């Protein structure tokens, strides 16, 4: 299988973040994590906030946090359209905790403004997901 | 005949104008490089999203449960035009060409008996369209691209359009923007946002992946088509708005650079012409003075 890698692409609205041939990627789908190996059945899935694991020769090469998005998988390709993507080891815990606090304050201040409330809740959810990903490292 | 002093003042003023235009050209050139990189960097996302939407749209249309953002509201009465212009002037025919295209579209729609609403982005375009279509402009968004277009702003605009669509205030939404071709050329591009329409395949420079598009039909969907579409369509709306903003911003810088370049050149020509006139006048004055002195001496 190694001579037939998965072509993995991670794209954010701003730019193409990563385009690489890899052995396997594990993507956090809404209905559970799924691993993509070469020859995967074609599918399209929504991605929940969580960590994408890129595997190289049997172990995790990189962990990338994504704040939701969409994944398209074909036999030779895996494309993830992420809303926000940061390598997990670049996340600054203090910064995220502050974000969470700010977002929570915004939720309280939003009052009746549904749009504001929605935005603030999304921010809070992202921050919580970041913290959770930092706390529970899966796969070695 | 203008006096020597008039010429000196004139030349000095043209020179200072030239300094300003050449500085603006430099600034625009620097901004253009960044804006162009950003616009190009953002293309893969919207291309891939279109690819995904394309296959989803096919299968949703086949199963007949397409959400309204895809299928439309079933009517075609009220059109919303989102017109992307600039906040600042001095960029040549940039705003003129967008508003001209918008105007033609409005007139054509009106002739068909449709109602038209306009959402202006950028205050320069509003000034042009307000005289004729003031009552149709529902709002003007300013400073959307300062210092550079941000995705959050695009999300806000998209959100607004979607709220109007869901409230039944509009049936069709089209965005008109300048697409960036090169620093010298922009192309006014109308793009229909709601209902979602697959753009014609015009991106020959995108990598050729027509081979696996054929295999579209076999996709599995998780959770299911409808839920993905209800997530993906609003997302796509924001992405398309963002893309339009980036393209428009890059085009603006290009247009400004070109306009300022020719302004600088024109100022240079003008200075040359004025300097020649100044020298001639000066010489004429000296000659006159000499003749006066000589004829005065001869008379003695």
């Amino acid at each position: 299988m190694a001579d037939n890698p998965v072509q993995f692409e991670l794209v954010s609205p701003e730019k193409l973040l990563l385009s690489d041939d890899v052995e396997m990627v594990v993507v956090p789908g809404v209905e559970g994590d799924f691993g993509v190996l070469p020859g995967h059945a074609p599918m399209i899935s929504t991605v929940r906030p969580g960590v994408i694991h890129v595997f190289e020769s049997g172990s995790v090469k990189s962990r990338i946090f994504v704040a939701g998005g969409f994944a398209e998988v074909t036999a030779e390709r895996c494309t993830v359209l992420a809303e926000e993507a940061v390598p997990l080891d670049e996340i600054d815990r203090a910064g995220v905790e502050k974000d969470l606090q700010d977002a929570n304050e915004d939720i309280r201040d939003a009052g009746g403004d549904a749009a504001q409330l929605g935005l603030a809740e999304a921010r809070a959810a992202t921050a919580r997901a970041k913290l959770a990903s930092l706390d529970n490292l899966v796969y070695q | 005949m203008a006096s020597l002093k008039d010429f000196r003042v004139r030349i000095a003023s043209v020179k200072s104008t030239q300094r300003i235009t050449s500085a603006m050209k430099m600034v625009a050139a620097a901004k253009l490089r960044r804006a162009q990189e950003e616009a190009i960097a953002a293309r893969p996302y919207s291309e891939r999203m279109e690819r995904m939407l394309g296959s989803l749209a096919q299968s949703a249309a086949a199963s007949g449960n397409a959400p309204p953002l895809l299928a439309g509201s079933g009517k075609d009465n009220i059109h919303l035009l989102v017109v992307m212009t600039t906040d600042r002037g001095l960029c040549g025919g940039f705003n003129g060409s967008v508003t001209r295209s918008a105007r033609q579209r409005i007139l054509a729609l009106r002739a068909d008996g449709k109602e038209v609403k306009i959402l202006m982005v950028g205050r320069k375009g509003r000034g042009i369209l307000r005289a004729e279509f003031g009552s149709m402009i529902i709002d003007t968004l300013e400073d959307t691209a300062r210092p550079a277009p941000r995705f959050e702003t695009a999300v806000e605009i998209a959100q607004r359009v979607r709220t109007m669509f869901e409230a039944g205030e509009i049936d069709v939404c089209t965005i008109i923007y300048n697409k960036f071709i090169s620093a010298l050329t922009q192309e006014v591009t109308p793009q229909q946002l709601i209902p979602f329409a697959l753009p014609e395949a015009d991106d020959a420079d995108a990598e050729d992946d027509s081979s696996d598009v054929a295999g579209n039909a076999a996709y599995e969907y998780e959770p299911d088509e409808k839920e993905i579409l209800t997530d993906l369509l609003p997302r796509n709306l924001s992405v398309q708005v963002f893309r339009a903003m980036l393209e428009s911003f890059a085009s603006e810088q290009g247009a400004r650079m070109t306009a300022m370049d020719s302004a600088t050149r024109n100022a240079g020509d003008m200075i040359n012409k004025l300097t020649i006139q100044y020298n001639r006048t000066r010489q004429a004055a000296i000659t006159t003075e000499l003749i006066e002195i000589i004829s005065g001496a001869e008379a003695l």
Side-chain angles (χ1 to χ4, degrees):
Chain A
M1 282 284 184
D3 48 19
N4 184 19
V6 185
Q7 192 189 334
F8 175 61
E9 280 179 341
L10 180 62
V11 206
S12 80
E14 283 84 11
K15 60 175 193 250
L16 183 65
L17 290 168
L18 188 72
S19 176
D20 206 1
D21 288 342
V22 299
E23 197 178 87
M24 177 172 95
V25 275
V26 176
V27 180
V30 261
E31 294 185 346
D33 292 6
F34 57 88
V36 180
L37 282 164
H40 197 285
M43 78 170 203
I44 291 178
S45 167
T46 334
V47 175
R48 69 180 151 78
V51 180
I52 293 183
H53 294 83
V54 180
F55 283 78
E56 205 60 77
S57 55
S59 60
V60 177
K61 192 178 95 180
S62 51
R63 301 166 201 269
I64 305 153
F65 176 83
V66 288
F70 305 92
E72 183 198 27
V73 181
T74 65
E76 59 277 343
R77 186 151 51 78
C78 172
T79 311
V80 176
L81 303 180
E83 276 153 47
E84 183 196 330
V86 220
L88 198 61
D89 44 17
E90 280 174 26
I91 295 180
D92 157 38
R93 178 182 288 270
V96 178
E97 273 163 3
K98 190 166 176 304
D99 275 354
L100 181 58
Q101 217 171 13
D102 288 352
N104 280 332
E105 272 167 27
D106 284 356
I107 292 176
R108 244 175 291 133
D109 296 343
D113 192 340
Q116 284 284 342
L117 192 67
L119 284 178
E121 271 171 358
R123 264 172 48 211
T126 308
R128 270 196 293 273
K130 271 186 193 166
L131 289 178
S133 327
L134 282 173
D135 289 338
N136 313 308
L137 285 182
V138 281
Y139 311 113
Q140 284 314 307
Chain B
M1 186 86 183
S3 79
L4 281 178
K5 183 157 188 251
D6 291 340
F7 275 120
R8 272 201 300 271
V9 171
R10 214 40 225 292
I11 291 172
S13 111
V14 176
K15 265 190 184 152
S16 74
T17 308
Q18 189 189 32
R19 264 200 290 275
I20 293 170
T21 56
S22 90
M24 280 183 80
K25 178 190 142 192
M26 238 88 94
V27 172
K31 279 191 184 169
L32 169 69
R33 236 178 52 98
R34 267 200 55 200
Q36 188 179 350
E37 275 165 16
E38 274 170 20
I40 289 169
R43 280 179 188 169
Y45 190 88
S46 59
E47 273 162 17
R48 298 209 169 46
M49 187 159 254
E50 262 163 18
R51 196 171 63 192
M52 251 158 104
L53 262 176
S55 67
L56 272 162
Q58 275 174 4
S59 80
S63 60
N65 58 357
L69 275 177
L70 181 64
S73 59
K75 283 178 295 188
D76 176 29
N77 297 330
I78 315 173
H79 286 246
L80 175 75
L81 295 184
V82 182
V83 185
M84 304 281 286
T85 59
T86 65
D87 283 319
R88 305 207 190 166
L90 293 179
C91 44
F94 183 92
N95 291 318
S97 51
V98 179
T99 46
R100 198 173 324 117
S101 153
R103 182 173 172 274
Q104 280 167 359
R105 211 164 237 278
I106 295 167
L107 293 179
L109 285 169
R110 237 188 355 198
D112 284 348
K114 315 281 188 213
E115 192 184 326
V116 183
K117 293 180 178 176
I118 309 171
L119 180 64
M120 292 297 312
V121 180
R123 70 173 77 91
K124 283 293 162 191
R126 186 189 52 170
I128 307 176
L129 286 179
R130 191 170 43 183
E132 202 173 348
F133 306 112
S135 58
M136 297 178 185
I137 300 180
I138 46 176
D139 201 5
T140 308
L141 306 170
E142 292 178 4
D143 294 333
T144 48
R146 213 155 84 180
R150 290 185 326 135
F151 190 66
E152 289 78 23
T153 324
V155 173
E156 276 166 37
I157 298 176
Q159 180 72 40
R160 218 169 137 163
V161 172
R162 201 153 58 91
T163 317
M164 279 194 276
F165 177 74
E166 276 159 6
E169 289 166 27
I170 54 168
D171 297 318
V172 179
C173 172
T174 310
I175 189 163
I176 302 181
Y177 65 99
N178 265 318
K179 187 174 184 166
F180 182 82
I181 310 282
S182 74
L184 295 176
T185 35
Q186 307 88 37
E187 186 184 272
V188 180
T189 314
Q191 188 187 353
Q192 184 170 313
L193 295 178
I194 304 175
F196 171 74
L198 271 178
E200 296 90 74
D202 59 348
D203 34 4
D205 54 337
E207 73 255 59
D208 195 357
D209 42 23
S210 48
S211 53
D212 44 36
V213 170
N216 270 343
Y219 276 113
E220 270 172 43
Y221 300 102
E222 196 179 289
D224 60 37
E225 291 153 43
K226 196 160 178 218
E227 265 179 65
I228 297 181
L229 273 176
T230 42
D231 267 358
L232 194 57
L233 283 168
R235 186 81 196 148
N236 180 58
L237 200 59
S238 316
V239 170
Q240 297 308 332
V241 173
F242 185 55
R243 180 187 185 171
M245 281 169 70
L246 285 173
E247 297 271 351
S248 170
F249 187 67
S251 307
E252 177 191 342
Q253 304 308 333
R256 179 163 298 126
M257 191 179 85
T258 324
M260 287 303 111
D261 183 50
S262 66
T264 309
R265 218 164 326 116
N266 288 344
D269 289 351
M270 191 146 183
I271 290 170
N272 285 343
K273 225 166 58 193
L274 283 172
T275 315
I276 289 173
Q277 275 182 11
Y278 170 75
N279 287 340
R280 287 224 177 103
T281 320
R282 195 174 61 101
Q283 232 167 11
I286 293 169
T287 314
T288 324
E289 239 171 80
L290 273 176
I291 290 172
E292 274 168 10
I293 293 169
I294 292 167
S295 40
E298 267 174 9
L300 281 175

